[in-house]
Amino acid sequence: MKVDINTGTYVVAVSGGVDSIVLLDVLARRAQSPEPRAKSSEKQKIHSSQLSAPSFQLIVAHFDHGMRSDSQADLHFAQKVAEKYGLPFVFAE
């Protein structure tokens, strides 16, 4: 499945659950890997000169509602994942 992501900065809300972590992983990998500049057929090889860096930035955001005694663990986990990808991290409590 091909999804076009427009140029810009995107805030990804990360709760620490599986869904938001998978979303962040997919977006972060896409943001960190070069993309072909022009459409090519499957048979045609893409040369490094045809690659360009993605045009979007990610910010990881987390909100700790404090509804569970262990909610701080989710905050720390989301922060560690952001660090793993080298992404800015913001949070509120």
Side-chain angles (χ1 to χ4, degrees):
M1 177 165 117
K2 174 128 171 73
V3 176
D4 291 325
I5 301 174
N6 294 329
T7 300
T9 301
Y10 296 88
V11 177
V12 181
V14 175
S15 66
V18 173
D19 294 347
S20 63
I21 295 297
V22 169
L23 174 63
L24 178 62
D25 182 69
V26 168
L27 291 173
R29 287 174 188 259
R30 173 95 180 263
Q32 293 172 353
S33 65
E35 298 177 335
R37 284 191 194 138
K39 292 182 180 179
S40 63
S41 69
E42 290 181 32
K43 295 178 184 177
Q44 181 183 8
K45 289 187 176 182
I46 298 173
H47 298 283
S48 60
S49 63
Q50 294 174 291
L51 298 176
S52 64
S55 58
F56 64 93
Q57 303 284 324
L58 298 174
I59 298 171
V60 178
H62 179 84
F63 187 82
D64 182 1
H65 295 276
M67 296 175 67
R68 296 186 336 269
S69 60
D70 63 345
S71 65
Q72 284 287 311
D74 292 336
L75 170 74
H76 295 296
F77 178 68
Q79 185 174 20
K80 292 286 185 195
V81 172
E83 288 173 6
K84 171 186 168 187
Y85 291 111
L87 299 172
F89 179 76
V90 296
F91 72 95
E93 298 178 276

